[in-house]
Amino acid sequence: MQLASLRQPHRKLQAYNAWQRTAFLCHSHLDKELAEGLQVWLAEQGVDLYIDWKDNTMPETPNRETAARIKRRIQSSHLFLFLATANSKASRWCPWELGYADGEINWSQIVIVPTADSSGTHGNEYLQLYRRLDSNSLGQLFIFDPGSVQGTAVRTARFA
């Protein structure tokens, strides 16, 4: 994902439409480079990824309005992605967002993006509860149901 942040998405410029596949990204702001890489990678697969700190309509200081906007974004997105890192697990907002999503949207819309670093693999504790996003050796993204080794390509997946 870090290398993907250096690329620009390969998609035609077009106006937003109701058929655009969208995803909300739950992540730590300390993982900016990973978030941007994932945004580019998903754009290449035809998915528009919402990142809150790129939204200039968000309040500068988190408050009740921030929470209300995040709730609306989660509800209006086709997918809720949880970028599982040491930072997101330590975040105060990420567990709240994941809990909100779990209570408000269908479980099949919640997808974990596991990561690994020198301290280990992150996200394993969620993989039996939710679907996961992973890639193959060609850089194609797939969504896997809990416990499954066969996934559906993001490019062709139907979102709720």
Side-chain angles (χ1 to χ4, degrees):
M1 276 184 278
Q2 290 175 333
L3 293 177
S5 68
L6 302 175
R7 298 193 309 264
Q8 292 298 314
H10 300 297
R11 61 180 173 176
K12 297 176 183 174
L13 294 175
Q14 58 187 11
Y16 174 81
N17 67 59
W19 302 107
Q20 174 68 46
R21 299 179 318 153
T22 60
F24 175 94
L25 182 61
C26 174
H27 69 293
S28 167
H29 291 193
L30 298 174
D31 295 320
K32 179 180 179 179
E33 192 172 314
L34 288 175
E36 289 181 321
L38 184 59
Q39 186 177 43
V40 170
W41 211 356
L42 285 166
E44 292 171 352
Q45 309 292 315
V47 179
D48 183 36
L49 183 64
Y50 174 80
I51 298 177
D52 61 355
W53 48 264
K54 288 188 167 193
D55 182 348
N56 61 7
T57 67
M58 279 293 227
E60 285 190 35
T61 304
N63 58 29
R64 185 172 297 281
E65 179 60 25
T66 305
R69 288 176 187 230
I70 286 173
K71 287 177 179 181
R72 284 192 300 271
R73 279 291 183 167
I74 290 170
Q75 291 173 343
S76 67
S77 295
H78 295 103
L79 290 177
F80 173 94
L81 301 181
F82 177 76
L83 182 59
T85 66
N87 294 324
S88 63
K89 288 167 47 174
S91 164
R92 289 176 287 166
W93 278 93
C94 291
W96 177 84
E97 290 174 357
L98 180 58
Y100 178 78
D102 186 81
E104 291 295 320
I105 63 176
N106 189 296
W107 76 269
S108 67
Q109 292 175 263
I110 301 172
V111 179
I112 305 302
V113 183
T115 65
D117 59 23
S118 60
S119 66
T121 301
H122 307 286
N124 288 340
E125 63 274 24
Y126 301 112
L127 296 182
Q128 294 306 312
L129 301 174
Y130 306 112
R131 301 191 311 162
R132 80 176 188 283
L133 183 73
D134 211 340
S135 66
N136 65 10
S137 61
L138 300 175
Q140 299 165 315
L141 293 174
F142 289 83
I143 296 175
F144 296 84
D145 284 338
S148 178
V149 294
Q150 294 202 330
T152 302
V154 169
R155 185 175 298 282
T156 59
R158 298 180 134 262
F159 293 176

